[in-house]
Amino acid sequence: MRKRLILFGLSLAGGAFAQQRQEITLSEGWLFSRDKAQWQEVRVPHDWAISGPFDKKWDLQTVAIVQNGEKEKTEKSGRSGSLPWIGKGHYKTTVSIPSGYSHAELIFDGAMSEPNVKINGKQAGYWAYGYNAFNIDVTPYIKSGENTIEVDLNNVEESSRWYPGGGIYRPVTLVLTGKARFDTFETFARTAKADKNYAEVEVDTKVSGDLKGENIGINIALHNAKGYIIAESHCENTPSGDVHTVLDIKKPNLWSPEKPYLYKLVTKLYKDHKLIDEQTVNVGIRTVSVTKEGGFQLNGVTRKIKGVCLHHDLGPLGAAVNKAALIRQIKMMKEMGCDAIRTAHNMPSKMQMDICDSLGMMVMAESFDMWKYPKCKNGYARFFDEWAEKDMANLVRNHRNHPSIVMWSIGNEIPEQGMKGGTTMAKNLQDICHRLDPTRPVTQGMDRVDNAMKTGFAQVMDVPGFNYRLHKYDKGLKELPQGFLLGSETASTVSSRGVYKFPVEVASNRTYADGQCSGYDTEYCPWSNLPDDDWRWQDDYPQVIGEFVWTGYDYLGEPTPYDEYWPSRSSYFGICDLAGLPKDRYYLYRSKWNTKKHTTHLLPHWTWPGREGKVTPVYCYTDGTEGELFVNGKSQGRVRKNKDSRLDRYRLRWNDVVYEPGEITVVTYDAEGRETGRDTRRTAGKPTELTLKADRTNISADGDDMAFVTVSLCDKDGNIVPDGADRLTFEVEGCGAFQAACNGDATSLEPFTKPTMKLFAGQLVVIVRSTKTAGTMTLTVKDKQRNISKSIDIKTI
């Protein structure tokens, strides 16, 4: 079957209208094949591997994971997700374009990997790095009428340390313009100075095309959120096409996570007083600085970064980027009190940065996981010499207008930090960032701190980033000339949602027969630590400017500490699980980070048949300073946080509680003795019903929007049955379709894209997708084992 995209009503042959820019997202009409023999219709963004099946054969490796401190090679399974991402994939589509255009280019926001692009059978472009955005001038290859676009991809084995996905997993845009036009990625608005009374925004852009003898003019205007022009500049073209101006803004609305105000910068290109090209980009007015005296400052105000690291995969959706999924992620993190993300360890999508701009989430935009020295056999080291400067430049040029981005990262745990020549490489990459964007500091995550300081590698960075290594913080603060440091990657605490292990102990690299980790949040990796340890440094030392926790969400691949356990194919580091459901640790971070709302959260659940009479510790995560616990109405005593205790400084703990069925309740208080919250856990009875809760019940009828429905198995009183593992089935009728399901179990081998799955710890998430028809879809979830079902309606508008 051949699909084509027809661009109706478009003529670029002369006249004002004819020369204006057209940007068309190429999402529909694609065909995909692994072998160029069998083709299937797909929608881009697309991840060819996410449907599975899971199998250890896909990425079975015999390696020593240096990052884990291993010396000897052993067999590893699940390291990159145990999904079939390795190999070649092929895409093609047909675009029908009328005659008369002057210039055409394709913009790929990311294709995994080594995308090779052909137009009408001719080689048009290639890019090595699957995470980077790139543009191709396809004017020489396009003709009037039908045009075939082909994209060939190649994912080689052992080229990633986590699940990279496969396919055209980010949007593709076709841009048509006249001969004279604004260059892609060249318009740059930056805040030169700003306070609540006045701001200066410098704007650079570039005009391309054959402009000799042309009467060219440029208008640059800044519009506020209501659409009014608040600053404007009229510019003449220059022989080079480079245009620069300064806009003065009175009483600007400064962008911040608390008030993410966005302006629109509109640049217009005129020829003989006729509009021939126009660009619109969102911008924010805000300043960023990092100093020894002030620490990290946004708009001149010192603040500690409360950040998380996020991999690019979206759990059961795989690598295919989706706006609704990203919004859900960011909103969940913001509710926790998080104000920043690190795009570990790769370049982000434009869609993700747009959402961070609009919702108010600061970003460390990262670039590489390796330079010349390979961490895995076929990683980015193959391309570094030829491509690193181009990749770094594209990252900055593509994303520098996003106010959410507050710093660039040039690498993660780069082995060159302790090698000869590594300092020069670091400085060169940092200089590229400074040249293309003088407004933001540059960092990277260093894990070999002694080596990095000995070679001078750490000293050249604007912001020295320490990955873990808390025992090296004191040395860094005393010896580094910057006078501050950032926890660029912290914690790596591991846990499984709803799973609790006894006895409760602080343990490193602990494993169990079921492939799970304890939800008491007392287990971590050999190189890492507990959240409490990071907070002690941040609270007691002003020079520690914040942290990025590993990780905000579980992700596919890197199943530490179960790298040698099968089945295990996703991480345990997440504050939320792979389905996006919060683990208990979510509330620990919320109790510290969310200063606008009180937090009182009890753990564990209180359904323990067979544990009667046994010690079952109870923890409370709260912003309160004191709490009293009751078991079936009987007080277990009042405990208070203790600054001198590792685990009691930020938690309330009752370590000697003896389990008896019924209920436990905690009441928390602030330092003045005022009640701040209550929470209760009850022993669950027999499962009798399913509950369905959607993150949204109204979604857009655009074919892309999604709703995430949390399904819980409950007793007659609404208590979640914590050991519920029933198999459920899912049916969608009306104006929508089943997309995927996930239960958050790192050991599950059930495909995400089949409409059936077992519950894990009593819950799972079903994802439904809209069609392009407005109306209502109905999701019905059935538990055939218990002969119960539940439905929910979601409107598409």
Side-chain angles (χ1 to χ4, degrees), residues 187-207:
T187 298
F188 177 31
R190 59 191 181 275
T191 305
K193 61 175 69 173
D195 57 32
K196 64 180 181 179
N197 296 314
Y198 174 77
E200 288 183 2
V201 175
E202 296 187 26
V203 181
D204 288 284
T205 191
K206 186 177 182 63
V207 178

Side-chain angles (χ1 to χ4, degrees), residues 147-406:
N147 296 265
T148 300
I149 302 172
E150 298 173 89
V151 183
D152 296 321
L153 301 168
N154 183 32
N155 285 339
V156 299
E157 72 280 355
E158 294 190 45
S159 59
S160 180
R161 297 195 299 120
W162 53 83
Y163 176 71
I168 306 178
Y169 69 106
R170 292 176 181 169
V172 181
T173 305
L174 174 65
V175 180
L176 303 172
T177 63
K179 184 180 296 185
R181 64 196 180 278
F182 292 116
D183 263 9
T184 299
F185 302 156
E186 291 298 335
T187 298
F188 177 31
R190 59 191 181 275
T191 305
K193 61 175 69 173
D195 57 32
K196 64 180 181 179
N197 296 314
Y198 174 77
E200 288 183 2
V201 175
E202 296 187 26
V203 181
D204 288 284
T205 191
K206 186 177 182 63
V207 178
S208 289
D210 185 6
L211 304 175
K212 294 180 181 179
E214 303 280 14
N215 182 18
I216 298 293
I218 299 100
N219 178 264
I220 299 174
L222 192 68
H223 299 244
N224 65 16
K226 294 182 178 179
Y228 299 128
I229 294 176
I230 61 166
E232 190 171 22
S233 179
H234 303 283
C235 308
E236 298 293 329
N237 195 37
T238 63
S240 65
D242 296 315
V243 178
H244 175 81
T245 192
V246 179
L247 301 177
D248 300 322
I249 299 98
K250 295 180 180 179
K251 296 190 179 303
N253 289 286
L254 302 182
W255 186 96
S256 70
E258 294 72 31
K259 295 182 179 179
Y261 191 96
L262 294 176
Y263 295 87
K264 288 191 182 297
L265 182 74
V266 180
T267 54
K268 295 183 178 182
L269 181 64
Y270 293 88
K271 174 185 175 183
D272 298 326
H273 307 291
K274 294 180 180 179
L275 181 65
I276 60 172
D277 196 16
E278 179 176 342
Q279 275 186 332
T280 301
V281 296
N282 288 332
V283 299
I285 298 174
R286 58 105 187 93
T287 61
V288 173
S289 66
V290 190
T291 63
K292 180 178 181 179
E293 297 73 23
F296 174 78
Q297 293 186 323
L298 184 72
N299 300 321
V301 179
T302 299
R303 59 191 295 161
K304 296 272 187 175
I305 295 171
K306 300 180 290 188
V308 300
C309 301
L310 292 180
H311 263 296
H312 76 300
D313 79 66
L314 294 169
L317 299 178
V321 70
N322 177 266
K323 184 177 181 180
L326 290 171
I327 289 173
R328 176 177 179 249
Q329 264 196 353
I330 299 303
K331 284 186 174 180
M332 180 77 81
M333 291 294 98
K334 282 186 69 73
E335 172 61 25
M336 185 177 69
C338 172
D339 64 9
I341 65 168
R342 172 193 183 209
T343 67
H345 300 295
N346 46 262
M347 302 176 179
S349 68
K350 182 180 184 300
M351 186 183 294
Q352 184 184 28
M353 295 301 94
D354 286 342
I355 291 167
C356 290
D357 290 344
S358 62
L359 293 183
M361 182 65 77
M362 297 186 294
V363 176
M364 177 207 292
E366 197 151 84
S367 51
F368 309 117
D369 183 51
M370 68 186 78
W371 295 349
K372 291 185 67 170
Y373 187 91
K375 293 184 184 180
C376 49
K377 183 173 69 174
N378 292 311
Y380 186 77
R382 293 182 293 146
F383 307 120
F384 183 84
D385 282 340
E386 179 182 356
W387 286 91
E389 291 190 12
K390 291 181 282 190
D391 277 321
M392 199 75 240
N394 261 26
L395 169 66
V396 177
R397 291 167 65 243
N398 183 31
H399 290 295
R400 58 188 172 179
N401 286 313
H402 292 290
S404 56
I405 296 178
V406 296

